[in-house]
Amino acid sequence: MAFEKVKRSENYSEWYNQLVKNADLAEHSAVKGCMVIKPYGYAIWEKIQRQLDDMFKETGHTNAYFPLFVPKSLFEKEEKNAEGFAKECAVVTHYRLKANPDKPGTLMADPDSKLEEELVVRPTSEAIIWNTYRNWIQSYRDLPILINQWANVVRWEMRTRLFLRTAEFLWQEGHTAHATKAEAIEETVKMLEVYAEFAENFMAIPVIKGVKTENERFAGADDTYCIEGMMQDGKALQMGTSHFLGQNFAKAFDVKFQSKEGKLEHVWATSWGVSTRLMGALIMVHSDDEGLVLPPKLAPIHVVIVPVFKTEEDLQKIEAAMAPFIQAWKKLGITVKFDHRDTLKPGFKFAEWELKGVPVRLAVGNRDLENGTIEIARRDTKEKNVVAMDGVIDYVSNLLDDIQSNLFNRAQEWRNEKVFEVNSWEEFLDVIQVKEGFAMAHWDGTGETEEKIKEMTKATIRCIPLDRKEEAGVCVLTGKPSAGRVVFAKAY
Amino acid sequence: MAFEKVKRSENYSEWYNQLVKNADLAEHSAVKGCMVIKPYGYAIWEKIQRQLDDMFKETGHTNAYFPLFVPKSLFEKEEKNAEGFAKECAVVTHYRLKANPDKPGTLMADPDSKLEEELVVRPTSEAIIWNTYRNWIQSYRDLPILINQWANVVRWEMRTRLFLRTAEFLWQEGHTAHATKAEAIEETVKMLEVYAEFAENFMAIPVIKGVKTENERFAGADDTYCIEGMMQDGKALQMGTSHFLGQNFAKAFDVKFQSKEGKLEHVWATSWGVSTRLMGALIMVHSDDEGLVLPPKLAPIHVVIVPVFKTEEDLQKIEAAMAPFIQAWKKLGITVKFDHRDTLKPGFKFAEWELKGVPVRLAVGNRDLENGTIEIARRDTKEKNVVAMDGVIDYVSNLLDDIQSNLFNRAQEWRNEKVFEVNSWEEFLDVIQVKEGFAMAHWDGTGETEEKIKEMTKATIRCIPLDRKEEAGVCVLTGKPSAGRVVFAKAY
């Protein structure tokens, strides 16, 4: 095992990097800022995809696919959006390579293949999609359009971290079109709820639902809703966003429809997305110094069986004894791996599967077969129990449910311990800099104050919580009046 | 319905274009050569993906994800591969846009963001993947690596057709690494078999399995295996390829492993892929002048129920009567759509669902409810039957199976009618130019002859069939000796 056991308490950031590498989740590639998602990491992403996709379809959405490239002239059309993403755009300028006459054996972009118009590699797809929707929408009967896309996008980044911030990442982006403002807002909130439900019930991560301030809004949105999770180091991670885009894109791309009353009106829009960043959250919230900890609902392998044996004959005996259990679990949707490898000792295997976050590990030896017992270890608490083979099928099934809810409860408990109401600048600094958590603080509502606090402390307003109580107060920095608390935190 | 009913017999190519458009499968985008895959088209692609993905996993493969971009210096390394794709590469040269001072309100590639090294948008991923595998492989214990990737790729095309030839397309690409030549060849053939099984049992398209000639080989492969289908116009469409890459990429990227015997050896490779081109084949093989015809195993909707009603009350009565059937079909994995729309007449709906290729259509009116009957129409033969409601659940389930096998049989029949053994140049020309089919002809084995025949007739060698009998003969063009027949045809 190459796992170098940097502890979270020693260097959280380095612990994360090593965990991603050692648990075989992802690695840096030869392309600056782009990652390779390795099979084990990708298997977790597939679980995330499948579940979200089901939830999108249950809420009436269908998938489609739009081009990777956006012609510059389309990209420019929605000004705020263009301005917001211009600095991160990979630009295609040529469509052919040719032999480089000056350096034999190498290629160069063929000057004769220079494009008349540059193509932007999509950083997000509002522009290309709304340009398409123009042709799809004439009448109110064509609305709503409820489409999602699974795709790769590119946002050039100088400082990257695996899953958390990479130049290319995988995501889904929903793009919906509506006849009324109310319906578009309803959709925006509905998808935020889908994200929150997914985060809490599948990722086992409690989240705060809220609205971004103007400074933190998606470029081109009238409102950005978000879910914010807390990592074990007390920093926030934005786990998903749902944007109410108003009529901004409809106006930029001239998308109008004839209403029931026969009027020509601009269409209302939303967009919403989550990305492979979720992998970063999943890792950071649950894992420990021994490695990854996965909630059963997103684990590619639920149960690993490590046989404890000396001879090939013993191994076969153990495998035969476990076969009916494996069958029974399979029928319950529980994925079991029997670790046959005969070149590694059980202790090594235990550590390896611990590193990979498999929720339940069984150890079975000759004596167990004689006694009709199995040793069962749960990854989350590391508790071990010797359990009778009779009833072990249900035991494991229940244990997986228990681990799922325990992970959520545990995450919620330590998050709640790190969320503080603060009423003075000293308290604010104490939470952000010493206690390292979320500061629920009054704020005067101005971008200037927000900016100043960010400069002074690196803390940003993560969101204005949807469920905040209206409570008059004074801004923690300026003393000016405030209508309620917002969430300040350092963030990924 | 905007379906303009160009007939296949009048203009096959225009019939295809209109069908793709009118059945809501895909359309051209604002980006030259790139398509938008619309929800209904994408739903079929998802069915294809899901099934193939299951088959890949059953054969021991896992998914992963590698970067979209390939640095030019890596792309160059395998010379044949680089040469083969250089002319079709989209090239990223800048990573930022900025305001264009000469044209207010527009953007330009920021000259200060020029990349030191250009990035190629992957036309295929051997280069980036083998550069990665170098770090994953030290010993024979690290082999085999059996990885697949679902991704978008870009091959610049001047003349494009929806699904069949687009600058960007979606595909899967398997990339495997092996310790021995024999094992790599076995993998190449195994995946060809997977593709053939998928084509025949799911797409209901009979295929010829074969090997490409050197001229038609994948750039960088030692051997390219393929499956070739016949479209209704008698042209061939290459539906999938599986490449034995020898040690070419291992040598180019210096990927060596220590064998069991302790020797340092280059790794053996395969790659294999199918793409959204399959959608083109699916459309062209089965559809007719009324629209799309889908094999049930890949149809997003299996059964549509069109209620025939005058009053809202009737509609509700029909829906209530059908609800238990819909439930029962759902349990059998049969997807049913009940067409509620009250602004369209049944006849219009019949035509629309026909256009969209739904395999089975039910019509139910008041009188049917009284009589306990349902009118059932099958899309493939357009036969209609009135069936008793008792037993309709099994009837439809069996009908779907029947349609699936009928489509295959029908496709096989007319394909077989258009495959001809030819023994003279006159016969060859007759098959290629008049009968418009596949010519099974002797060929002298040289690239020159192959090239000459292509120039004279536009027919290419689609493949050397795997199951061809060894049969001495003389080349249809040159009269030189030949060891067996190959498949000549015009192709997409």
Side-chain angles (χ1 to χ4, degrees):
Chain A
M1 198 90 13
F3 194 43
E4 288 164 34
K5 307 234 176 190
V6 177
K7 290 187 180 158
R8 287 166 292 175
S9 56
E10 291 163 5
N11 187 338
Y12 191 78
S13 163
E14 185 54 23
W15 165 83
Y16 174 81
N17 293 341
Q18 296 221 357
L19 180 51
V20 170
K21 178 170 172 276
N22 293 325
D24 262 345
L25 301 174
E27 64 182 39
H28 293 286
S29 78
V31 191
K32 206 170 141 51
C34 294
M35 66 181 157
V36 172
I37 306 179
K38 300 182 78 173
Y40 193 62
Y42 200 84
I44 301 169
W45 176 243
E46 283 181 297
K47 287 261 180 179
I48 292 175
Q49 278 193 304
R50 189 67 65 101
Q51 179 55 37
L52 281 170
D53 199 65
D54 286 348
M55 293 168 89
F56 298 156
K57 283 174 177 156
E58 274 162 29
T59 46
H61 303 84
T62 53
N63 290 326
Y65 188 76
F66 296 87
L68 171 67
F69 299 132
V70 188
K72 189 172 68 64
S73 60
L74 289 186
F75 180 77
E76 287 161 2
K77 282 201 174 181
E78 210 297 321
E79 273 182 48
K80 282 192 186 164
N81 189 251
E83 199 191 316
F85 287 101
K87 290 190 208 74
E88 325 178 335
C89 283
V91 188
V92 174
T93 55
H94 295 74
Y95 59 81
R96 196 162 64 214
L97 292 170
K98 68 167 195 174
N100 184 341
D102 298 334
K103 290 191 193 163
T106 72
L107 298 167
M108 59 183 280
D110 184 346
D112 292 342
S113 75
K114 193 164 189 304
L115 289 165
E116 274 180 47
E117 180 179 10
E118 296 91 334
L119 298 174
V120 173
V121 181
R122 62 180 164 218
T124 181
S125 299
E126 279 79 5
I128 191 79
I129 288 179
W130 278 87
N131 185 62
T132 307
Y133 281 178
R134 187 180 49 246
N135 303 317
W136 294 4
I137 300 170
Q138 274 87 42
S139 141
Y140 70 93
R141 284 190 207 89
D142 301 321
L143 298 171
I145 294 178
L146 303 172
I147 285 181
N148 176 60
Q149 158 169 288
W150 291 96
N152 53 345
V153 285
V154 172
R155 297 179 186 175
W156 207 268
E157 294 281 355
M158 288 302 178
R159 297 168 61 188
T160 59
R161 293 196 68 190
L162 292 168
F163 292 124
L164 298 173
R165 191 174 295 276
T166 49
E168 182 193 16
F169 57 88
L170 304 183
W171 81 342
Q172 60 67 219
E173 46 181 327
H175 294 273
T176 70
H178 304 268
T180 66
K181 180 176 177 177
E183 192 186 296
I185 291 176
E186 192 188 317
E187 166 80 8
T188 313
V189 175
K190 183 198 281 174
M191 298 322 290
L192 187 80
E193 294 292 346
V194 166
Y195 287 154
E197 191 197 328
F198 176 74
E200 303 204 328
N201 295 346
F202 290 84
M203 301 184 72
I205 300 179
V207 292
I208 297 174
K209 292 177 277 189
V211 181
K212 290 285 183 193
T213 60
E214 199 179 336
N215 280 356
E216 302 278 336
R217 220 174 257 163
F218 177 76
D222 280 359
D223 253 322
T224 287
Y225 292 73
C226 63
I227 52 170
E228 299 279 330
M230 186 194 278
M231 306 300 104
Q232 287 182 64
D233 61 353
K235 281 195 195 167
L237 191 140
Q238 173 182 300
M239 290 174 61
T241 47
S242 185
H243 314 295
F244 169 61
L245 302 174
Q247 296 175 312
N248 302 330
F249 286 89
K251 284 178 181 164
F253 290 91
D254 193 27
V255 188
K256 290 179 188 160
F257 73 103
Q258 191 152 41
S259 71
K260 265 187 191 163
E261 295 74 30
K263 275 195 215 157
L264 214 56
E265 294 176 20
H266 281 111
V267 176
W268 298 86
T270 85
S271 69
W272 28 274
V274 299
S275 73
T276 35
R277 265 204 126 188
L278 287 181
M279 294 284 296
L282 194 66
I283 296 162
M284 285 202 288
V285 168
H286 300 301
S287 303
D288 61 24
D289 293 341
E290 277 69 48
L292 196 60
V293 175
L294 289 173
K297 286 187 185 172
L298 298 177
I301 302 167
H302 296 112
V303 177
V304 63
I305 303 176
V306 177
V308 182
F309 63 98
K310 292 228 173 84
T311 66
E312 176 68 24
E313 203 193 333
D314 285 352
L315 173 60
Q316 282 172 11
K317 226 190 281 174
I318 296 166
E319 193 168 8
M322 295 314 292
F325 294 108
I326 294 174
Q327 275 307 313
W329 282 317
K330 196 177 174 184
K331 278 191 194 143
L332 296 172
I334 297 171
T335 308
V336 182
K337 185 171 180 76
F338 188 93
D339 188 345
H340 296 91
R341 291 172 298 172
D342 57 6
T343 51
L344 303 171
K345 300 217 162 135
F348 183 94
K349 292 181 182 178
F350 293 171
E352 186 179 89
W353 294 116
E354 221 165 67
L355 170 56
K356 292 210 160 184
V358 175
V360 173
R361 181 251 295 160
L362 312 188
V364 187
N366 270 333
R367 196 167 302 168
D368 291 297
L369 295 189
E370 284 161 21
N371 299 341
T373 57
I374 302 183
E375 185 196 86
I376 299 187
R378 56 189 284 176
R379 176 65 185 88
D380 59 341
T381 60
K382 300 197 198 82
E383 274 175 86
K384 281 186 220 169
N385 275 299
V386 175
V387 171
M389 281 195 189
D390 286 354
V392 76
I393 293 165
D394 288 346
Y395 183 93
V396 165
S397 174
N398 294 333
L399 183 57
L400 288 168
D401 291 345
D402 192 46
I403 293 172
Q404 182 76 32
S405 55
N406 179 53
L407 285 177
F408 178 80
N409 293 337
R410 190 165 88 171
Q412 190 168 42
E413 236 165 71
W414 60 249
R415 184 200 65 175
N416 290 349
E417 278 168 21
K418 284 199 172 198
V419 177
F420 305 91
E421 288 205 350
V422 302
N423 294 306
S424 70
W425 186 243
E426 289 72 42
E427 285 175 19
F428 184 93
L429 290 179
D430 183 52
V431 168
I432 298 298
Q433 296 174 340
V434 184
K435 295 197 178 97
E436 297 184 324
F438 287 8
M440 309 294 291
H442 279 287
W443 160 62
D444 65 18
T446 69
E448 293 74 40
T449 301
E450 190 181 359
E451 204 45 55
K452 199 179 275 178
I453 291 176
K454 185 176 174 184
E455 275 164 32
M456 292 165 79
T457 66
K458 290 186 185 154
T460 51
I461 299 179
R462 304 316 304 153
C463 68
I464 305 160
L466 292 187
D467 63 355
R468 79 164 174 181
K469 53 177 186 275
E470 296 300 309
E471 171 205 43
V474 293
C475 174
V476 79
L477 184 70
T478 64
K480 288 181 191 161
S482 151
R485 296 175 189 274
V486 299
V487 184
F488 279 94
K490 290 186 193 168
Y492 279 92
Chain B
M1 200 97 7
F3 193 42
E4 287 164 35
K5 305 233 175 191
V6 176
K7 288 187 181 158
R8 286 165 292 174
S9 57
E10 291 163 6
N11 187 338
Y12 191 78
S13 163
E14 186 53 24
W15 165 82
Y16 175 82
N17 293 340
Q18 296 219 358
L19 180 50
V20 170
K21 179 171 172 275
N22 293 326
D24 262 346
L25 301 174
E27 64 183 39
H28 293 287
S29 77
V31 191
K32 207 170 141 46
C34 293
M35 66 181 156
V36 172
I37 307 178
K38 299 182 79 173
Y40 193 61
Y42 200 84
I44 301 169
W45 176 242
E46 283 182 297
K47 287 260 181 178
I48 291 175
Q49 277 192 304
R50 188 67 65 99
Q51 179 55 37
L52 280 170
D53 198 66
D54 286 348
M55 293 169 89
F56 298 157
K57 283 174 178 157
E58 274 162 28
T59 46
H61 303 84
T62 53
N63 290 326
Y65 189 77
F66 296 86
L68 170 68
F69 299 131
V70 188
K72 189 172 67 64
S73 60
L74 289 186
F75 180 76
E76 287 161 1
K77 281 201 173 181
E78 210 296 321
E79 272 182 47
K80 282 191 185 164
N81 189 251
E83 200 190 316
F85 287 101
K87 290 190 209 72
E88 324 179 335
C89 284
V91 188
V92 174
T93 55
H94 295 74
Y95 59 82
R96 196 163 64 214
L97 292 170
K98 68 167 196 176
N100 185 341
D102 298 333
K103 289 191 194 165
T106 73
L107 298 167
M108 59 182 281
D110 183 345
D112 292 343
S113 76
K114 192 164 188 306
L115 289 166
E116 273 180 48
E117 180 179 9
E118 295 91 334
L119 298 174
V120 173
V121 181
R122 61 180 166 219
T124 180
S125 300
E126 280 79 5
I128 190 79
I129 288 180
W130 278 87
N131 185 63
T132 307
Y133 281 178
R134 187 179 50 244
N135 303 316
W136 293 2
I137 300 170
Q138 276 88 41
S139 140
Y140 69 94
R141 284 189 208 89
D142 302 320
L143 297 171
I145 293 178
L146 303 172
I147 285 180
N148 176 60
Q149 159 169 289
W150 291 95
N152 53 345
V153 285
V154 172
R155 297 178 187 175
W156 207 268
E157 294 280 355
M158 289 302 178
R159 297 168 62 188
T160 60
R161 293 196 69 190
L162 292 168
F163 293 124
L164 297 172
R165 192 174 295 278
T166 49
E168 182 193 15
F169 56 88
L170 304 183
W171 80 344
Q172 61 67 219
E173 46 182 327
H175 293 274
T176 69
H178 305 268
T180 66
K181 180 177 178 177
E183 192 186 297
I185 291 175
E186 192 187 320
E187 166 80 7
T188 311
V189 175
K190 182 196 283 174
M191 298 322 290
L192 187 79
E193 293 292 347
V194 166
Y195 288 154
E197 190 196 330
F198 175 75
E200 304 205 326
N201 295 345
F202 291 85
M203 301 183 72
I205 300 179
V207 291
I208 298 174
K209 291 177 278 188
V211 181
K212 289 286 180 192
T213 61
E214 199 178 336
N215 280 356
E216 302 278 336
R217 220 174 258 163
F218 176 76
D222 280 0
D223 253 323
T224 288
Y225 292 73
C226 63
I227 52 170
E228 299 279 330
M230 186 195 279
M231 306 300 105
Q232 287 181 64
D233 61 354
K235 281 195 196 168
L237 191 141
Q238 174 182 299
M239 290 174 60
T241 49
S242 185
H243 314 295
F244 169 60
L245 302 174
Q247 295 175 312
N248 301 331
F249 286 90
K251 283 177 181 164
F253 290 91
D254 193 27
V255 187
K256 290 180 188 160
F257 73 102
Q258 191 151 42
S259 71
K260 266 187 190 163
E261 296 74 30
K263 273 195 214 158
L264 216 54
E265 294 176 19
H266 281 112
V267 176
W268 297 87
T270 87
S271 68
W272 28 274
V274 298
S275 73
T276 35
R277 263 204 130 188
L278 288 180
M279 294 284 297
L282 193 65
I283 296 162
M284 285 202 288
V285 168
H286 301 302
S287 303
D288 61 24
D289 293 341
E290 276 69 49
L292 196 61
V293 176
L294 289 174
K297 286 188 186 171
L298 298 177
I301 302 167
H302 296 111
V303 177
V304 64
I305 303 176
V306 177
V308 182
F309 62 98
K310 292 227 173 86
T311 66
E312 175 68 24
E313 203 193 333
D314 285 352
L315 174 60
Q316 282 173 12
K317 227 191 279 175
I318 296 167
E319 192 169 8
M322 296 314 292
F325 296 107
I326 295 175
Q327 275 307 313
W329 282 317
K330 195 177 173 182
K331 276 190 195 145
L332 296 172
I334 296 171
T335 308
V336 182
K337 185 172 180 76
F338 187 93
D339 188 345
H340 296 91
R341 293 173 296 173
D342 57 5
T343 50
L344 304 170
K345 300 219 162 132
F348 183 93
K349 291 181 182 178
F350 293 171
E352 186 179 89
W353 295 116
E354 222 165 68
L355 170 56
K356 292 210 160 183
V358 176
V360 173
R361 181 251 295 160
L362 312 188
V364 188
N366 269 333
R367 194 168 304 167
D368 292 297
L369 294 190
E370 284 161 22
N371 299 341
T373 57
I374 302 183
E375 184 196 87
I376 299 188
R378 54 189 285 177
R379 177 63 185 89
D380 58 343
T381 61
K382 301 198 197 83
E383 275 175 87
K384 280 186 219 171
N385 275 300
V386 175
V387 172
M389 282 195 189
D390 287 353
V392 75
I393 293 165
D394 288 346
Y395 183 93
V396 164
S397 174
N398 294 333
L399 183 57
L400 288 168
D401 291 345
D402 192 46
I403 293 172
Q404 181 77 31
S405 53
N406 178 54
L407 286 177
F408 178 80
N409 294 336
R410 189 166 89 171
Q412 190 167 41
E413 238 164 71
W414 61 249
R415 183 201 63 177
N416 289 350
E417 277 168 22
K418 286 200 172 198
V419 176
F420 304 90
E421 288 206 351
V422 302
N423 294 306
S424 70
W425 186 242
E426 289 70 40
E427 286 176 18
F428 185 93
L429 289 179
D430 184 52
V431 168
I432 297 299
Q433 297 175 340
V434 183
K435 296 199 177 98
E436 298 185 322
F438 287 8
M440 310 294 292
H442 279 287
W443 160 64
D444 65 17
T446 69
E448 293 73 38
T449 301
E450 189 181 2
E451 202 47 54
K452 201 178 275 177
I453 292 177
K454 185 177 174 183
E455 276 164 30
M456 294 166 77
T457 67
K458 290 187 186 154
T460 51
I461 300 179
R462 302 317 303 153
C463 67
I464 304 160
L466 291 187
D467 63 355
R468 77 164 174 182
K469 53 177 186 274
E470 295 301 309
E471 171 205 42
V474 294
C475 175
V476 81
L477 184 70
T478 64
K480 288 182 192 160
S482 151
R485 294 176 188 274
V486 300
V487 184
F488 279 94
K490 290 186 193 167
Y492 280 93

